[in-house]
């Protein structure tokens, strides 16, 4: 990995007895598109909030391009751009008025401010409609202006928090292309999403967060490779899972078996071979198979395997 | 610089919000017009009797005639006092006014010599009542003068015709009528009895004038609507939380104090602009519509009171945004509590008519002290030193609202 632009060390955030984030450490390389995945309540939003300086961690340190966020807050924040999930814009003001405001907040003035605003409007394809109030825009147009507001000051690190929620396919594609273009220009992007195909398409590396902890961090390919040939979910009759698990665990095509109530979660090196062995074992043990599901090896199945939950759960 | 950026953005949002513009500028004007009109009429529409304490230093026939003519159907209720009783009662404002019939009144009137009735008013006496009394006395004096002069003329004519044979009278009926008309005109233009309206000098120094309808309506309505802006300030802050713009600002390179200060600066400027418009209307527009005019007697004091009112209203807005959890709670507080507080503070009913109970309740609101301060500056031309108590209490309210508001404030929804 090249030189890290963002280092988070042992981040902890407590709300009373609730450990929203419990010891997350990660490094993001300069020029990387870094995915942060996690189900609702996993601690993903709290992590992003701490990394962007929205509030400080209970414990831990964050360095933005070598600058300690806690000690030189404004200097570090100037290097960060945030595109929040909510449309954090003023609906009755025009797109230009909104962008000018956010530009001034980041210290842009005069011609530079004017040029940046026009550049961003052009980038998101809204130059012609720049003087219309935001509340007259479609959902996709609002999202595009929301992104433009985060890019005005050309940050070193751009946080995109679920940028495609509620966006039509055309605008979604435009956002993907925009992110890829920004990355080509050298911008580091930290991207959170519920959509696995987005993470697989855009992210160089992906971190999976659950219950406030970082449970996996690798390239999408690496994560999928770890899962092996695929994931097989077998539903069994009451009290039969343990016995079948013992039988199946010894099969050469099976990498790992995890019983969860009346279900077995089986990681397979070779799905077909493993399936034959599983059916053979259930037959021998006279176990009743109530359901059978085979998951292709992708980030979705990796996520399910690691957290026991579907991503949008 | 970021404070100014945020304030400028808030002013842009204010200008785009038609509802707020109407509430801030149009509604106060409508209310001032309506209540100003009502205040200018309610005393003349009243049918109550006006109390008229009288000191009769004359005791003669003409004084008796005058007293007999002061009947309830003329709208006054005379009551005789000794001079030594009346003066202390007036000084303590236990009576509003004293009419003194001077010694020698009857003799002077009978001799056709001019004489003056003296009406002394307490400075806080109801001006409309005073006007009513002067009008009644003027009418009675005119009648009494006319009656006296006619009798005198007829007596002189009778003396001239004494002993003249029938058919040889010097004055025909026409001559008598002409004489009577001449006396009538003379009584109107040069009455024997004049009414002098006075206010004791010692008390006059404490109060230069009585408020006219606009001087009651404008301070009351100004304060009502300036404090209603606290609701709008609270909603503007809540809106930033709801939109997520506060969250976005928190990730930008600026301090939280700058964020809040920018919003407060915009709110104070809006309230000050409201103040300027409302008082300008009272001073210049209302007279053009045939209404009374407010006198802007002490502009520096007015400016300082307005600044303190703007700070108090804005601090109240921060307080509302901090203690209310929902948009509905802020709207509810603004529409219920602020209107009611304005009412008991004297926005709709002049403070001198609030009575003991409402007056006491009103004093626990900042609006009461704001109206009182404005009234003292506008009606009496008081300087800042003269409204120290009101300013002090308003400052305490401001500090309390601000301290609690900042203490309880959350930037996130």
């Amino acid at each position: 990995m090249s030189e890290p632009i963002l280092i988070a060390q042992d981040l902890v955030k407590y709300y009373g007895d609730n450990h929203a984030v419990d010891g997350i450490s990660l490094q993001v390389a300069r020029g990387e598109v870094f995915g942060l995945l996690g189900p609702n309540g996993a601690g993903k939003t709290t992590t992003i909030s701490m990394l962007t300086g929205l509030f400080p961690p209970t414990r831990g340190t964050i360095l933005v391009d070598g600058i300690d966020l806690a000690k030189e807050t404004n200097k570090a924040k100037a290097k960060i751009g945030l595109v929040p999930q909510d449309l954090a814009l003023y609906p009755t003001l025009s797109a230009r008025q909104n962008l000018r405001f956010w530009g001034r907040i980041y210290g842009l003035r005069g011609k530079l401010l004017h040029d940046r605003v026009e550049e961003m409007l052009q980038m998101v394809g809204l130059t012609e409609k720049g003087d219309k109030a935001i509340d007259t825009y479609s959902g996709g147009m609002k999202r595009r202006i929301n992104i433009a507001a985060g890019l005005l000051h050309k940050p070193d690190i751009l946080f995109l928090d679920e940028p495609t929620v509620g966006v039509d396919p055309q605008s979604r594609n435009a956002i993907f292309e925009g992110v890829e273009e920004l990355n080509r220009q050298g911008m580091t992007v930290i991207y959170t999403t519920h959509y696995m195909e987005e993470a697989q398409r855009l992210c160089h590396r992906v971190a999976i967060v659950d219950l406030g902890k970082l449970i996996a961090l690798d390239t999408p390919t690496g994560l999928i490779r770890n899962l092996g040939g695929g994931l097989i979910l077998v539903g069994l009759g009451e009290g039969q899972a343990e016995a079948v698990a013992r039988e199946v665990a010894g099969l050469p095509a099976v990498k790992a078996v995890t019983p969860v109530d009346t279900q077995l979660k089986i990681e397979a090196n070779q799905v077909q071979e493993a399936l034959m062995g599983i059916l053979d074992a259930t037959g021998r043990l006279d176990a009743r198979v109530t359901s059978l599901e085979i998951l292709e090896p992708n980030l979705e199945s990796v996520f399910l395997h690691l957290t026991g939950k579907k991503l949008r759960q | 610089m970021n404070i100014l950026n945020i304030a400028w953005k808030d002013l842009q949002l204010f200008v785009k919000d038609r509802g707020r513009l109407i509430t801030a500028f149009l509604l106060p004007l409508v209310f001032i017009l309506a209540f100003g009109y009502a205040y200018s009429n309610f005393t003349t529409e009243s049918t109550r009797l006006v109390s008229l304490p009288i000191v009769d230093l004359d005791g003669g026939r003409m004084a008796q005639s005058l007293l007999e003519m002061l009947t309830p159907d003329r709208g006054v209720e005379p009551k005789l006092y000794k001079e030594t009783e009346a003066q202390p009662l007036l000084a303590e404002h236990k009576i509003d006014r004293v009419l003194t019939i001077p010694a020698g009144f009857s003799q002077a009137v009978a001799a056709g010599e001019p004489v003056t009735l003296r009406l002394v008013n307490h400075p806080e006496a109801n001006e409309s009542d005073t006007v009513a009394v002067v009008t009644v006395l003027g009418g009675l004096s005119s009648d009494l003068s006319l009656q006296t002069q006619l009798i005198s003329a007829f007596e002189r004519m009778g003396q001239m015709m004494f002993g003249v044979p029938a058919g040889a009278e010097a004055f025909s009926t026409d001559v008598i009528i002409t004489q009577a008309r001449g006396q009538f005109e003379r009584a109107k233009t040069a009455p024997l009895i004049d009414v002098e309206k006075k206010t004791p000098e010692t008390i006059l120094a404490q109060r230069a004038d009585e408020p006219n309808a606009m001087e009651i309506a404008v301070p009351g309505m100004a304060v009502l609507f300036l404090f209603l802006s606290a609701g709008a300030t609270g909603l503007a802050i809540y809106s930033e939380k709801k939109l997520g713009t506060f969250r976005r600002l928190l990730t930008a390179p600026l301090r939280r104090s700058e964020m809040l200060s920018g919003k407060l600066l915009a709110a104070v400027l809006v309230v000050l602009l409201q103040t300027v418009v409302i008082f300008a209307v009272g001073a210049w527009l209302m007279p053009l519509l045939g209404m009374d005019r407010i006198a802007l007697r002490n502009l520096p004091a007015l400016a300082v009171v307005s600044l303190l009112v703007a700070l108090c209203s804005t601090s109240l807005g921060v307080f509302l945004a901090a203690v209310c959890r929902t948009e509905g709670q802020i709207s509810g507080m603004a529409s219920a509590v602020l209107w009611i507080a304005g009412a008991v503070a004297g926005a709709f009913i002049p403070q001198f008519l609030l009575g003991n109970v409402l007056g006491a309740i009103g004093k626990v609101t900042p609006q009461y002290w704001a109206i009182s301060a404005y009234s003292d500056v506008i009606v009496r031309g008081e300087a800042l030193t003269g409204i120290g108590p009101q300013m002090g209490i308003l400052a305490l309210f401001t500090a309390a609202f601000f301290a609690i508001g900042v203490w309880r404030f959350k930037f996130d929804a």
Side-chain angles (χ1 to χ4, degrees):
Chain A
M1 192 175 78
S2 64
E3 175 203 358
I5 192 166
L6 179 73
I7 301 172
Q9 191 65 45
D10 194 24
L11 290 187
V12 171
K13 186 70 185 179
Y14 295 158
Y15 293 109
D17 292 335
N18 176 28
H19 295 195
V21 171
D22 195 7
I24 288 181
S25 297
L26 52 85
Q27 294 191 357
V28 179
R30 194 180 294 277
E32 186 177 22
V33 179
F34 187 90
L36 195 58
L37 307 183
N40 289 335
K44 185 181 48 170
T45 303
T46 308
T47 305
I48 289 279
S49 299
M50 290 188 289
L51 293 177
T52 53
L54 187 65
F55 49 72
T58 308
R59 198 177 67 220
T61 54
I62 299 164
L63 299 178
V64 179
D65 204 8
I67 301 164
D68 190 329
L69 185 60
K71 289 178 183 162
E72 295 179 272
T73 308
N74 284 351
K75 199 172 166 188
K77 280 180 174 178
K79 292 179 171 291
I80 292 171
L82 171 68
V83 179
Q85 186 178 348
D86 298 321
L87 295 168
L89 300 166
Y90 299 100
T92 54
L93 298 186
S94 70
R96 274 197 176 82
Q97 285 173 319
N98 266 286
L99 293 180
R100 279 188 201 129
F101 168 68
W102 290 108
R104 281 194 294 266
I105 288 295
Y106 280 91
L108 304 179
R109 299 281 183 277
K111 188 173 182 305
L112 179 61
L113 174 64
H114 174 268
D115 291 349
R116 282 284 174 81
V117 167
E118 294 309 313
E119 183 187 338
M120 288 300 127
L121 284 172
Q122 193 175 13
M123 190 189 94
V124 296
L126 290 168
T127 303
E128 299 295 316
K129 295 186 175 175
D131 290 324
K132 301 260 184 211
I134 293 287
D135 57 9
T136 64
Y137 283 14
S138 69
M141 289 159 72
K142 287 175 185 172
R143 285 265 165 214
R144 278 141 67 188
I145 290 295
N146 200 33
I147 293 171
L151 289 170
L152 269 168
H153 61 296
K154 302 212 167 170
D156 292 333
I157 309 173
L158 179 67
F159 286 83
L160 287 164
D161 190 8
E162 308 268 5
T164 57
V165 171
V167 170
D168 59 90
Q170 193 188 347
S171 293
R172 180 179 290 199
N173 268 334
I175 290 169
F176 290 165
E177 286 164 15
V179 170
E180 285 165 342
E181 177 56 32
L182 289 168
N183 185 242
R184 268 196 294 277
Q185 292 170 12
M187 190 177 285
T188 305
V189 178
I190 297 177
Y191 195 99
T192 72
T193 180
H194 276 144
Y195 301 110
M196 283 298 138
E197 65 275 18
E198 289 184 14
Q200 273 185 267
R201 171 175 169 175
L202 295 171
C203 299
H204 300 134
R205 287 193 306 149
V206 171
I208 296 177
V209 178
D210 193 31
L211 301 173
K213 291 179 187 295
L214 187 67
I215 57 173
L217 173 58
D218 204 343
T219 60
T221 316
L223 287 170
I224 292 165
R225 194 188 308 121
N226 284 340
L227 186 60
L231 194 66
I232 302 168
L233 302 176
V234 185
L236 295 162
E238 199 69 41
Q240 297 175 325
E242 290 292 337
V244 175
R246 278 193 297 274
E247 283 291 313
V248 170
L251 296 172
V254 170
K255 192 177 167 190
V257 182
T258 314
V260 183
D261 298 330
T262 59
Q263 195 178 53
L264 288 184
K265 193 167 73 175
I266 301 161
E267 292 172 53
N269 294 320
Q270 294 290 329
V271 172
Q272 271 190 328
E273 266 183 47
L275 194 57
M276 295 298 289
I278 291 163
L279 292 176
D280 184 49
T282 52
R284 270 189 282 113
L285 293 169
D286 200 20
R288 188 166 58 90
V289 177
T290 57
S291 67
L292 184 66
E293 193 177 356
I294 301 165
L295 301 176
E296 289 293 314
N298 56 26
L299 276 182
E300 188 80 47
S301 51
V302 169
F303 193 83
L304 182 66
H305 166 59
L306 291 172
T307 67
K309 301 167 202 161
K310 292 196 172 175
L311 192 56
R312 268 163 261 179
Q313 212 171 329
Chain B
M1 197 64 187
N2 279 324
I3 294 174
L4 294 180
N5 287 334
I6 290 171
W8 175 244
K9 177 266 301 169
D10 270 22
L11 291 175
Q12 286 179 309
L13 289 171
F14 172 72
V15 171
K16 299 258 181 181
D17 188 342
R18 282 184 197 166
R20 260 195 92 187
L21 288 174
I22 289 170
T23 310
F25 299 116
L26 190 60
L27 270 187
L29 305 191
V30 171
F31 272 68
I32 286 170
L33 199 58
F35 278 85
Y37 184 75
Y39 295 150
S40 65
N41 282 291
F42 81 98
T43 48
T44 55
E45 287 170 2
S46 172
T47 55
R48 68 191 161 83
L49 295 177
V50 178
S51 171
L52 181 58
I54 299 173
V55 172
D56 183 4
L57 299 177
D58 179 64
R61 188 169 59 86
M62 286 300 166
Q64 191 57 38
S65 295
L66 183 67
L67 291 173
E68 285 167 3
M69 291 164 84
L70 286 166
T71 51
D73 62 317
R74 293 183 186 268
V76 291
E77 188 178 28
K79 190 175 178 185
L80 280 172
Y81 286 87
K82 289 180 184 169
E83 190 175 20
T84 49
E85 291 172 344
Q87 293 306 330
L89 290 174
L90 182 67
E92 292 167 21
H93 197 192
K94 289 184 176 167
I95 55 176
D96 278 341
R97 59 189 62 78
V98 174
L99 174 69
T100 303
I101 303 173
F105 174 80
S106 296
Q107 197 179 353
V109 171
E113 294 167 3
V115 64
T116 299
L117 292 171
R118 185 179 233 221
L119 182 68
V120 181
N121 295 289
H122 188 276
E124 289 177 10
N126 186 308
E127 178 68 10
S128 300
D129 286 356
T130 303
V131 171
V133 168
V134 171
T135 306
V136 168
L137 287 174
L140 289 180
S141 304
S142 180
D143 289 351
L144 205 58
S145 298
L146 182 62
Q147 182 188 330
T148 307
Q149 287 173 353
L150 282 173
I151 290 168
S152 171
F154 288 137
E155 279 174 356
R156 281 198 299 276
M157 280 193 284
Q159 285 164 2
M160 289 165 72
M161 290 176 59
F162 183 74
V164 176
E169 297 94 338
F171 305 106
S172 65
T173 306
D174 291 343
V175 171
I176 292 171
I177 290 170
T178 306
Q179 177 70 18
R181 281 184 179 152
Q183 291 296 338
F184 182 71
E185 289 303 316
R186 192 175 159 223
K188 279 202 292 186
T189 54
L192 291 178
I193 307 165
D194 192 17
V195 181
E196 181 194 25
K197 178 185 154 198
K198 264 194 101 171
T199 302
E201 290 299 327
T202 50
I203 310 176
L204 191 66
Q206 296 168 16
R207 185 161 176 176
D209 206 349
E210 295 290 336
N212 60 38
M214 274 300 126
E215 286 171 342
I216 297 171
V218 170
M221 290 304 147
V223 168
L224 175 73
F225 282 94
L226 297 181
F227 273 90
L228 281 176
S229 284
T233 303
L235 284 173
I237 292 171
Y238 184 83
S239 167
E240 296 264 15
K241 296 182 188 180
K242 190 176 154 195
L243 289 170
T245 42
F246 261 168
R247 285 176 69 88
R248 190 170 211 159
L249 281 168
L250 286 171
T251 66
L254 77 166
R255 290 189 293 275
R256 288 173 184 233
S257 57
E258 289 178 298
M259 288 165 61
L260 192 56
S261 301
K263 291 208 76 69
L264 299 191
L265 176 62
V268 167
L269 290 175
V270 167
V271 176
L272 286 176
L273 184 63
Q274 263 185 288
T275 313
V276 169
V277 170
I278 290 171
F279 281 100
V281 162
W284 293 293
L285 180 64
M286 287 302 162
L288 297 178
L289 300 175
M291 308 291 285
D292 291 327
R293 176 181 182 279
I294 61 163
L296 303 178
R297 291 177 186 170
N298 190 336
L299 276 177
L302 196 62
V304 174
V305 175
S306 299
L307 182 62
L308 189 53
V309 168
L311 290 172
C312 192
S313 164
T314 304
S315 298
L316 181 56
V318 178
F319 174 83
L320 289 176
V323 299
C324 295
R325 287 165 184 260
T326 64
E327 198 171 359
Q329 282 180 3
I330 298 175
S331 302
M333 288 279 273
S335 56
V337 177
L338 294 179
W339 280 93
I340 292 168
V344 297
F348 300 110
I349 307 165
Q351 286 185 338
F352 57 83
L353 292 179
L354 281 176
N356 291 337
V357 176
L358 269 186
I361 296 171
K363 284 178 182 173
V364 300
T365 68
Q367 288 94 326
Y368 179 92
W369 302 101
I371 292 173
S372 174
Y374 271 134
S375 296
D376 279 357
V377 171
I378 290 169
V379 177
R380 298 174 188 89
E382 289 280 11
L384 284 176
T385 48
I387 52 170
Q390 295 101 309
M391 297 291 279
I393 293 169
L394 265 180
L396 283 177
F397 271 111
T398 306
F401 288 142
F402 190 75
I404 297 170
V406 169
W407 171 48
R408 304 285 299 167
F409 198 84
K410 287 189 175 72
F411 282 89
D412 216 348

